[in-house]
Amino acid sequence: MSLMFTGIGVSRGVAIGDAHLVRRNQVDVSARKLTKRAIPGEIKRLRQAIKSARKELLATLGAIPEDTGGDIAAFIETHILMLDDSLLTKKPIETIKNEQCNAEAALQQQREELSKVFASMDDKYISTRIDDVNHVIDAVLRALNDSNETFGGEHWKGQIVIADDLTPADTVVMRHHGVAGFITETGGQLSHTAILARSLGIPAIVGVHNIREYIKSGETITLNGDSGLILADATTEMLNAFRQQQKALKQQQRELSKINDMKAVTRDGVHLQLNVNIEIDDDIKAMKRVHVDGVGLYRTEFLYLDQSAVPTEQQHFKAYTKVLRALKGAPLTLRTADLGADKIFSSTLANERRNQHSNPALGMRGIRLCLNDTSIFIPQLRAILRASSRGPVRILLPMLTSTAEVTQSLVLIESVKDDLRSEGVEFDEDIPVGGMIEVPAAAIAADQFAGQLDFLSIGTNDLIQYTLAIDRIDDQVDYLYDPLHPAVLQLINHVIAAGRKANIPVAMCGEMAGDPRYVRLLLGLGLTNFSMPPNSVLEVKRCLIDSRRVRLRKLAQSMLQATSWEEQQSLLARINGN
Ligand code: PEP
Ligand code: MG
């Protein structure tokens, strides 16, 4: 029987593939059939996980203070001994061989068998020892989950990953393994996982609560990342309809590619700057496929993604010069590390410093974290300055709240410049320093920020999150996400006006600047510099070059005054009509 689900479509595209269920917060123990060739590797993976679990238990044992009662240590020693027990180790290996299944499923099978045996014991004490078995099995499963192969493997190619939640790092791994699409039970459209999916062109839907209760691994799933519609076990007619949608999207892309070389100028002669947001290497490739004026936002915190430590100055430098080479003289805006909130990476150091507080989005993130710990900030600033001798580079400071943060950053940049000068290292003495306006306080005080900085860039993702008090990664409040909220529009209008008054450029690099529904409205408000994921450029360009700013100005001003949703919608329809 066909089943239909709906969620928040966050990355367009139609995908058809077999479901692959993953649990990010729990280990996925569902059985997967392996090929004969994969068996030795799977056994090795299990042995490795047992070794890691033993190491973890030994470390725990070593950390027990001397004066602790003997029972605790004996308890852990028992668990270590159990790891050598053939019932827990050899038996699952036999299962992997005989049933050609994954290590997690083999362990789970053994857990179930042992549970039955323990439950049938009359002795109450002995029957509760199943808790020890569970503890040891969980330790091995956790170690398996941490091994690379568990998250993202060859067998994911062409499949649709269904998870409770996914991190931005998971999205990159999935892309490299060629997944067809993904669905998560939680997450909002502005989460960095969703942003990355859009930028990587992976069709994705988030916020589909409990979907894993209804779908089994291996079932054929169809998803439309535009409408947020998911079908399981679709009929032939339904599948044909989805294939038609896939075809129509491809045709639309082909049509759009025809405007790639056209100048980005409106019908009434307003010159536009269309820039791209980039995060990872794949974006550089995507960027090369479209004609753009430069990089308006390089989310450098993604360099921390696959690292086991904070990137060195040289690693930063290499990454930046690589983008500069691809840009061939076009400007590169490097945002300094905006770590924290949902950008928590696998790097040990970042993990250690990860915000454990209940409100990470309001905590130590972005510029706050960098100023608080200059051991992260200084190597990055040195690398940015060094890279500025290789091509036009601009510094962009994230999450500014008070002008004191700008002052502090500028002082630090000057001292790094002094160091480089005394070392005889070349850099751009006049490197522009700009600030992200993404906290309402900074938007309201935009005049003061404009007085201190060379340019501003509006980050609508956070600006909307903080203005409307909606956690951008919480699907339960995603329905409140509203770029047209009068408060949001007034803040944007105010920042653009502040830039004009101070005679400095104002760009926008939040998702709103890449959304064809809103770009004409933004043009009407006076914005001419848009930065967006590479695969949004052509659609945005189409909307903008077909418009006249003179006509949009009045409509945009009326939008600021609109008093009802109906009035807004009717104005938006006029703005987006011709
Ligand atoms: C924003 O907040 O709009 C932005 C561009 O930054 P990020 O999405 O990385 O927080
Ligand atoms: Mg932001």
Side-chain angles (χ1 to χ4, degrees):
M1 189 185 65
S2 304
L3 282 178
M4 189 169 95
F5 306 85
T6 51
I8 308 164
V10 292
S11 177
R12 59 198 320 207
V14 173
I16 304 170
D18 288 349
H20 183 94
L21 267 62
V22 218
R23 285 167 182 81
R24 282 312 272 151
N25 298 328
Q26 288 162 270
V27 184
D28 180 7
V29 291
S30 58
R32 276 194 333 264
K33 188 85 182 162
L34 303 181
T35 59
K36 271 210 170 103
R37 276 180 49 206
I39 303 295
E42 195 63 9
I43 293 173
K44 196 169 152 203
R45 194 162 81 86
L46 176 59
R47 289 206 168 110
Q48 201 60 42
I50 292 170
K51 234 178 167 174
S52 306
R54 183 177 297 113
K55 227 167 119 185
E56 191 190 299
L57 287 170
L58 282 169
T60 312
L61 193 62
I64 297 174
E66 302 248 322
D67 54 356
T68 311
D71 283 1
I72 304 267
F75 185 67
I76 294 171
E77 275 160 6
T78 311
H79 287 175
I80 296 170
L81 284 175
M82 282 169 79
L83 276 174
D84 295 324
D85 194 304
S86 61
L87 274 178
L88 279 188
T89 51
K90 296 215 176 66
K91 188 71 202 309
I93 290 178
E94 291 304 309
T95 311
I96 294 175
K97 279 189 203 154
N98 299 339
E99 301 189 15
Q100 282 182 231
C101 69
N102 49 319
E104 292 87 348
L107 273 169
Q108 182 63 12
Q109 194 172 320
Q110 186 61 357
R111 186 205 300 268
E112 282 159 17
E113 275 169 29
L114 289 172
S115 295
K116 275 189 224 147
V117 176
F118 275 83
S120 67
M121 302 221 179
D122 289 337
D123 187 318
K124 207 104 195 102
Y125 176 75
I126 295 186
S127 68
T128 57
R129 301 306 291 183
I130 186 66
D131 292 347
D132 294 318
V133 174
N134 281 330
H135 188 97
V136 174
I137 289 181
D138 285 341
V140 181
L141 282 174
R142 264 198 315 276
L144 277 171
N145 199 39
D146 286 343
S147 68
N148 291 337
E149 292 89 337
T150 311
F151 196 83
E154 299 276 293
H155 51 277
W156 285 16
K157 197 169 166 52
Q159 297 195 339
I160 292 178
V161 171
I162 306 181
D164 45 354
D165 195 12
L166 293 165
T167 65
D170 296 336
T171 313
V172 178
V173 173
M174 288 193 294
R175 155 77 190 208
H176 287 145
H177 289 297
V179 304
F182 73 79
I183 300 165
T184 60
E185 294 189 335
T186 58
Q189 56 187 303
L190 292 180
S191 69
H192 287 89
T193 303
I195 291 176
L196 256 184
R198 276 195 285 282
S199 152
L200 295 171
I202 307 175
I205 297 177
V206 302
V208 196
H209 290 234
N210 303 326
I211 185 170
R212 288 170 311 147
E213 283 175 24
Y214 302 96
I215 305 273
K216 284 200 248 17
S217 276
E219 230 174 298
T220 302
I221 299 289
T222 315
L223 74 83
N224 184 330
D226 241 342
S227 59
L229 192 74
I230 301 157
L231 286 174
D233 205 9
T235 60
T236 316
E237 290 79 41
M238 289 168 172
L239 278 176
N240 285 342
F242 266 85
R243 289 205 176 98
Q244 278 311 101
Q245 289 168 10
Q246 249 176 345
K247 256 196 195 155
L249 272 172
K250 282 199 182 122
Q251 176 58 22
Q252 196 187 344
Q253 291 305 324
R254 271 196 294 274
E255 282 298 315
L256 281 173
S257 64
K258 293 180 186 157
I259 62 165
N260 195 18
D261 293 329
M262 281 171 73
K263 279 212 165 69
V265 182
T266 64
R267 283 202 193 161
D268 52 347
V270 179
H271 285 258
L272 306 164
Q273 283 219 35
L274 301 185
N275 292 313
V276 283
N277 297 348
I278 61 169
E279 282 106 33
I280 54 169
D281 270 4
D282 293 52
D283 293 326
I284 305 176
K285 286 182 215 142
M287 172 182 89
K288 285 185 188 164
R289 288 195 284 270
V290 277
H291 180 89
V292 290
D293 295 304
V295 170
L297 170 69
Y298 182 174
R299 289 186 166 98
T300 62
E301 57 279 2
F302 280 77
L303 289 173
Y304 297 68
L305 204 68
D306 284 329
Q307 304 260 12
S308 58
V310 167
T312 61
E313 177 186 328
Q314 195 54 19
Q315 283 168 331
H316 279 291
F317 178 74
K318 263 178 86 176
Y320 306 157
T321 45
K322 183 172 177 184
V323 185
L324 280 171
R325 276 197 300 278
L327 279 169
K328 298 190 179 117
L332 166 62
T333 311
L334 286 164
R335 180 173 74 183
T336 57
D338 184 20
L339 289 163
D342 70 329
K343 283 179 279 194
I344 295 163
F345 298 128
S346 53
S347 134
T348 330
L349 231 133
N351 271 342
E352 270 169 25
R353 290 171 186 178
R354 146 171 87 185
N355 211 317
Q356 302 284 8
H357 303 278
S358 50
N359 264 325
L362 300 179
M364 191 54 82
R365 61 166 290 201
I367 197 71
R368 303 170 183 183
L369 196 140
C370 284
L371 290 173
N372 184 52
D373 185 349
T374 51
S375 73
I376 294 181
F377 206 16
I378 290 177
Q380 177 168 38
L381 289 175
R382 283 180 60 92
I384 294 177
L385 282 159
R386 282 172 55 206
S388 72
S389 69
R390 305 286 179 93
V393 168
R394 314 189 311 161
I395 299 176
L396 180 58
L397 306 170
M399 268 296 286
L400 294 171
T401 310
S402 83
T403 51
E405 289 162 338
V406 178
T407 314
Q408 245 182 299
S409 303
L410 293 176
V411 168
L412 201 62
I413 292 169
E414 281 312 311
S415 87
V416 173
K417 281 183 176 176
D418 284 344
D419 291 344
L420 292 176
R421 257 183 233 114
S422 63
E423 291 165 34
V425 177
E426 276 184 37
F427 62 89
D428 175 6
E429 289 279 355
D430 300 318
I431 188 166
V433 181
M436 294 277 299
I437 301 297
E438 48 187 349
V439 174
I444 294 166
D447 288 312
Q448 279 86 339
F449 283 89
Q452 280 195 301
L453 292 158
D454 299 314
F455 66 97
L456 303 178
S457 189
I458 308 174
T460 48
N461 307 339
D462 279 314
L463 188 62
I464 295 172
Q465 153 167 264
Y466 297 127
T467 307
L468 304 185
I470 47 167
D471 186 342
R472 61 194 271 188
I473 59 172
D474 185 349
D475 56 283
Q476 294 189 75
V477 288
D478 196 84
Y479 73 100
L480 289 170
Y481 169 73
D482 180 14
L484 298 182
H485 191 292
V488 173
L489 292 183
Q490 279 166 32
L491 288 177
I492 293 172
N493 189 47
H494 181 66
V495 179
I496 296 171
R500 200 179 300 126
K501 234 192 297 169
N503 203 19
I504 60 164
V506 176
M508 182 181 285
C509 60
E511 293 296 291
M512 196 177 170
D515 191 326
R517 286 171 298 177
Y518 308 125
V519 289
R520 282 188 172 184
L521 166 65
L522 295 169
L523 177 64
L525 291 175
L527 190 82
T528 53
N529 189 325
F530 300 77
S531 193
M532 65 205 88
N535 50 21
S536 301
V537 172
L538 292 177
E539 210 177 343
V540 165
K541 189 172 179 178
R542 174 88 277 163
C543 294
L544 291 175
I545 62 176
D546 286 346
S547 66
R548 288 178 198 280
R549 189 166 67 176
V550 274
R551 189 181 83 85
L552 296 174
R553 268 202 185 124
K554 253 182 114 177
L555 290 167
Q557 284 309 310
S558 308
M559 191 69 138
L560 288 173
Q561 311 302 329
T563 50
S564 68
W565 183 85
E566 287 76 14
E567 193 185 347
Q568 280 191 331
Q569 291 309 307
S570 118
L571 279 166
L572 195 65
R574 286 174 64 196
I575 285 170
N576 290 330
N578 280 313

